[in-house]
Amino acid sequence: MDDRVLVGSTAPLARAESAPSHVWRLDDGGRQTLVIGALRDRLPQVVYWGAPLPRDEDLSVIFEGAQIDITGGMLDENPDLSLCPEAVRTFPGQPGLICRAQDGTPLLPKFCFESAEKEAGLTLRYRDEAAGLRLIFRFGVDAQTRIITAQTVLEADAPVHLHWLAAPVMPGPQAADEMIDVSGRWCGEFQMNRTAWSPGMRYRENRTGRTGHEHFPGLMIPARGCTNTQGEAWGFHYGWSGGHKMIAEELPDGRRQIQFGHAARMEHEAATRFETAPLYLTYSATGLNGCAVSFQRHLRDRIVTWPKSPTERPVHYNCWEAVYFDHSLPVLKDIASRAAAIGAERFVLDDGWFGQRDDDTRALSDWEVDPRKYPDGLDPLISHVHSLGMTFGIWFEPEMINPDSDIHRLHPEWALGSEDQTLGRNQKAMNMARADVRDFIFERMAAILGNHEIDYIKWDHNRVLPMPDAAQTRGSYALIDRLRAAFPDVEIESCASGGGRIDFGILSRTQRVWLSDSNDALERLRMQHDAALFLPMAITGSHVGPRQCHTSGRTLDISFRAWVAAQRHMGFEMDPRELDDREEAVLTEVTAWWKRNRGWMAEADILRLDSSDPAVIAEQQMPREGDRFVVFAGKSRTSAQISPRPLRLAALEPGARYKVWLTNRISAPALSRGHPILKHDPIEVSGAWLMSHGVTLPWSYPETMWVLEGERL
Ligand code: GLA
């Protein structure tokens, strides 16, 4: 080397100054490593989160190697982007904690290291002696699902008011140009938003008091070039049902931070202990699908507690769109018989069976069977349903009360919020923080569940809260926990005008979600595809709706409606009396197909495919063993080009051979005049070909679904 080209000193800097006092690493045994380090006794920072690092990596160097330089216009030392960035340390972005003493004085803590435990994950304790505050960070790693769980706890010697507490703050990857988060609306859940990273922040806050259609608490950060099937991605989910806040901020120096926590100011009382919900994290080098599969598996295998094996998901029939509030025993019996004949295995009696509930203006909270509609109680209907070999489920909206109800007349003080509040669907929320309210609801529900053979509750929540309130969410959780302890065999579906309460917090207490009030198969196809970034098949309810959809007015063929429902936990919601012979035959056949396959599908991964045709929304469901798969290729609209583009499959063994066949090949319309081989015969090909060339499907109409099955030979 020629010394003369060297500019400046090559002498080492005072390394001791920049060397970490502590470094810890978390590994999931093969897919990701997280390195956390701290300078002196200060709060620690995540200095690495990505592909696994070698076991013998020098973590001090990793820590130091992550530190950015200092130049003009900067402080003399860069403020730490720590697990809880501290306002008092000149941090230029949003702090991770905002709290006040009970008298209102702002607290500006500066935490110092206390202890670290490496048992069952990692627990780090920090303390601010003068302020009387302790901050605890907990990390757990699941080597099977590849999910890292992170949580922050704040403890105080004297009660404090909490404004904001972030779960452990993560650095935002620098290799990403954008982030994907999730919004939505009634009948339009799980809409993906891509936002470019830029200086400043993307701030999402859900102040509705429930998880909400509008702000599903999830985030994906794709690295440049990432698709569903390839590239790097980082995934986040905040498991809380009371409304969350997310900050994705790029600091002036270019660093990025991601914060998740409860919506701000939702703790109304001063207290000595607060904790965030768990933040679920995962890194993938196999595209968005790597994150999706981790979330799906973690939710299904770790979060949901199943009374029965998830492989036995029964086919549902739900009577809502058939009868609404108009309950008549002979009609319901007839509907149940017809539903059973098509293949239903669980009959769910929806809204309208209690109080004087003839429409949605009254009777919520009057949880007693309406003797006008059911003079002999529910037993005649339940026995009929059982005689058909179906189990029985029932609808409740436990946290709600109509001003026009006996209970509201008796206990107006049980409603949450002011007397003159704006109603939602003519109703108020009950104050779930009150033990007497919870006792009342528990007793009424227990009376119905205890006196009847009921194995399923559709648990609804049809309005937003008057204001965000963490105590309300904790009260709802406590009620569900108590009911589950008393009725451990009863499954619960989480519904909130469709998908308004879907998150890992509610799903640790429930087993199914009603993804959307839209039974429009076209809209469902898209929603199910995007929701699969987080939700597995086994917990995602999907029903075949009426011929003309009640929420979109669209008329779709039975075959498309049936296959879209068969992608997830299948059910029916139309009035079976409207089905003509062909519709009944198609539905019976698809339902039988679903029953033959639900066992392995309930434990399979959903892989979103990178369709070369934007009109085709496609996914591949495949068990972990990879020995078989089914591909659902839904054509959402007419393609721009005339012929279908080959559809590339994913995650197969390149060297293995697969037999692949088109399950519903007889559906090819007459306008498909050619002879693509799959239209006539199964093919035997390598995984390499299926992934690099892809299958050529026959021409088809828009609003149809090709179903392709395969097995490894
Ligand atoms: C909500 C649900 C529907 C149905 C009605 C009953 O809107 O999302 O599926 O249960 O309530 O009132």
Side-chain angles (χ1 to χ4, degrees):
M1 189 192 288
D2 183 343
D3 281 348
R4 283 166 305 176
V5 301
L6 286 176
V7 179
S9 164
T10 53
L13 293 170
R15 187 150 176 240
E17 279 286 295
S18 57
S21 53
H22 304 97
V23 233
W24 303 276
R25 65 181 284 168
L26 293 164
D27 291 277
D28 68 4
R31 197 171 91 181
Q32 64 195 320
T33 300
L34 186 85
V35 180
I36 304 173
L39 213 50
R40 299 187 283 282
D41 62 351
R42 299 199 320 228
L43 283 180
Q45 322 167 44
V46 171
V47 290
Y48 179 83
W49 179 26
L53 296 177
R55 282 307 324 170
D56 59 357
E57 190 79 62
D58 183 337
L59 297 183
S60 298
V61 177
I62 295 300
F63 180 90
E64 289 191 66
Q67 306 309 316
I68 53 170
D69 200 359
I70 295 167
T71 180
M74 294 172 88
L75 293 167
D76 296 340
E77 194 183 349
N78 288 307
D80 297 341
L81 201 170
S82 75
L83 294 177
C84 185
E86 292 156 300
V88 76
R89 293 197 196 260
T90 341
F91 184 70
Q94 298 298 308
L97 168 67
I98 304 174
C99 62
R100 288 174 184 272
Q102 224 171 350
D103 66 2
T105 314
L107 293 168
L108 291 168
K110 201 189 266 185
F111 290 98
C112 297
F113 179 74
E114 196 176 64
S115 68
E117 287 153 39
K118 268 218 87 169
E119 240 167 77
L122 178 65
T123 303
L124 305 174
R125 291 173 196 281
Y126 285 75
R127 162 189 283 282
D128 179 332
E129 202 63 59
L133 296 175
R134 287 171 302 284
L135 211 47
I136 301 149
F137 305 102
R138 288 206 201 101
F139 291 87
V141 185
D142 192 307
Q144 249 106 57
T145 65
R146 315 283 191 200
I147 290 284
I148 297 173
T149 305
Q151 197 167 12
T152 304
V153 178
L154 175 70
E155 290 176 351
D157 292 342
V160 295
H161 286 288
L162 185 69
H163 177 111
W164 167 242
L165 177 63
V169 175
M170 304 301 288
Q174 296 278 322
D177 294 326
E178 51 184 19
M179 61 190 104
I180 306 172
D181 55 32
V182 190
S183 64
R185 59 164 164 83
W186 177 72
C187 284
E189 287 82 347
F190 282 88
Q191 301 184 20
M192 300 295 137
N193 298 304
R194 284 181 183 255
T195 311
W197 279 99
S198 61
M201 65 175 164
R202 177 147 170 90
Y203 178 113
R204 298 195 70 195
E205 186 167 22
N206 171 2
R207 302 202 62 78
T208 66
R210 65 175 184 185
T211 326
H213 302 79
E214 306 81 6
H215 303 278
F216 174 78
L219 174 71
M220 295 273 174
I221 303 192
R224 201 164 302 130
C226 169
T227 69
N228 286 318
T229 60
Q230 58 196 8
E232 287 180 294
W234 292 260
F236 302 73
H237 170 68
Y238 189 67
W240 168 245
S241 315
H244 80 290
K245 165 171 151 180
M246 177 199 96
I247 291 172
E249 184 177 30
E250 185 167 299
L251 304 177
D253 58 35
R255 288 179 298 172
R256 294 164 174 177
Q257 64 159 338
I258 315 278
Q259 297 192 4
F260 272 93
H262 292 14
R265 302 181 307 281
M266 71 184 306
E267 295 289 359
H268 299 178
E269 305 290 332
T272 54
R273 188 174 192 284
F274 297 98
E275 60 178 28
T276 68
L279 175 62
Y280 301 93
L281 304 162
T282 190
Y283 161 81
S284 152
T286 52
L288 295 176
N289 281 341
C291 294
V293 164
S294 285
F295 285 127
Q296 292 167 20
R297 289 185 184 177
H298 199 77
L299 180 51
R300 182 189 59 220
D301 303 339
R302 299 286 188 272
I303 300 289
V304 172
T305 47
W306 302 94
K308 297 175 195 134
S309 154
T311 58
E312 289 156 8
R313 302 289 75 215
V315 176
H316 278 206
Y317 177 78
N318 180 296
C319 67
W320 176 239
E321 296 201 340
V323 300
Y324 294 103
F325 298 99
D326 189 9
H327 291 204
S328 126
L329 187 58
V331 170
L332 287 170
K333 279 179 158 179
D334 182 25
I335 287 178
S337 302
R338 289 167 189 260
I342 305 165
E345 298 163 311
R346 177 183 276 154
F347 180 93
V348 181
L349 183 66
D350 211 282
D351 195 355
W353 57 268
F354 54 91
Q356 304 267 309
R357 183 80 169 164
D358 294 338
D359 55 33
D360 66 7
T361 64
R362 71 194 86 174
L364 286 176
S365 76
D366 294 340
W367 302 115
E368 278 165 349
V369 179
D370 181 349
R372 298 169 308 152
K373 296 178 186 169
Y374 298 96
D376 300 313
L378 293 175
D379 284 335
L381 179 60
I382 296 179
S383 317
H384 179 74
V385 164
H386 286 162
S387 74
L388 297 164
M390 289 193 283
T391 65
F392 189 83
I394 194 161
W395 183 93
F396 282 100
E397 197 178 355
E399 296 125 311
M400 296 293 157
I401 185 162
N402 286 116
D404 184 1
S405 65
D406 293 344
I407 297 306
H408 195 277
R409 281 182 278 276
L410 214 58
H411 286 292
E413 76 284 5
W414 282 2
L416 183 72
S418 65
E419 218 173 295
D420 63 347
Q421 67 181 277
T422 308
L423 301 181
R425 210 191 187 204
N426 311 297
Q427 65 202 52
K428 299 179 182 172
M430 297 276 246
N431 185 345
M432 299 301 294
R434 289 178 65 134
D436 54 354
V437 167
R438 293 198 301 269
D439 287 347
F440 163 79
I441 306 171
F442 175 83
E443 278 152 26
R444 286 292 166 98
M445 293 181 77
I448 299 288
L449 297 175
N451 293 325
H452 303 93
E453 236 183 280
I454 293 177
D455 78 337
Y456 186 80
I457 298 173
K458 177 176 175 184
W459 186 303
D460 221 327
H461 188 294
N462 281 318
R463 65 155 290 169
V464 299
L465 300 188
M467 79 294 274
D469 181 356
Q472 178 78 2
T473 309
R474 286 191 288 266
S476 295
Y477 284 172
L479 174 66
I480 305 176
D481 292 345
R482 187 170 164 199
L483 268 154
R484 289 205 66 211
F487 300 95
D489 293 336
V490 174
E491 283 188 20
I492 303 178
E493 173 177 57
S494 174
C495 174
S497 302
R501 186 154 62 175
I502 300 178
D503 62 82
F504 285 18
I506 199 74
L507 276 160
S508 61
R509 307 171 159 85
T510 56
Q511 291 80 18
R512 192 186 202 240
V513 295
W514 185 227
L515 185 62
S516 177
D517 271 354
S518 172
N519 285 321
D520 178 318
L522 192 58
E523 294 174 354
R524 277 284 183 146
L525 175 73
R526 202 272 316 144
M527 265 186 252
Q528 289 175 182
H529 187 72
D530 288 331
L533 285 175
F534 299 92
L535 308 179
M537 173 272 198
I539 70 119
T540 311
S542 188
H543 296 173
V544 179
R547 188 182 301 131
Q548 184 179 19
C549 176
H550 289 187
T551 55
S552 69
R554 200 177 267 128
T555 300
L556 294 163
D557 185 67
I558 188 67
S559 171
F560 186 53
R561 283 186 279 146
W563 281 119
V564 169
Q567 289 184 279
R568 299 294 184 265
H569 180 185
M570 188 175 192
F572 321 137
E573 196 158 331
M574 91 302 280
D575 186 336
R577 294 172 299 177
E578 81 166 27
L579 297 171
D580 63 23
D581 291 348
R582 181 187 148 263
E583 288 172 329
E584 199 173 307
V586 170
L587 188 52
T588 308
E589 202 179 304
V590 174
T591 306
W593 179 92
W594 190 79
K595 286 183 181 174
R596 286 197 301 279
N597 288 282
R598 65 180 156 189
W600 69 267
M601 281 168 66
E603 301 194 331
D605 302 323
I606 304 172
L607 303 166
R608 294 159 29 113
L609 296 177
D610 289 328
S611 169
S612 307
D613 181 348
V616 174
I617 298 176
E619 70 180 32
Q620 174 181 329
Q621 298 194 18
M622 187 165 77
R624 191 172 310 225
E625 305 73 43
D627 55 339
R628 63 192 304 176
F629 59 80
V630 58
V631 171
F632 294 100
K635 189 158 170 181
S636 66
R637 56 178 192 270
T638 306
S639 300
Q641 79 292 345
I642 202 157
S643 297
R645 297 189 194 280
L647 177 65
R648 293 164 128 195
L649 308 194
L652 303 174
E653 277 176 46
R657 291 188 69 71
Y658 295 83
K659 179 177 172 187
V660 179
W661 64 97
L662 200 53
T663 307
N664 57 343
R665 65 199 168 91
I666 54 155
S667 309
L671 271 178
S672 153
R673 296 187 296 135
H675 302 282
I677 185 164
L678 279 167
K679 213 166 125 184
H680 306 283
D681 293 303
I683 52 174
E684 288 187 15
V685 276
S686 67
W689 185 84
L690 288 167
M691 292 191 290
S692 358
H693 181 275
V695 289
T696 309
L697 294 163
W699 187 91
S700 62
Y701 290 139
E703 297 164 6
T704 56
M705 175 90 86
W706 283 127
V707 182
L708 191 78
E709 288 176 84
E711 62 189 32
R712 197 175 49 208
L713 296 170

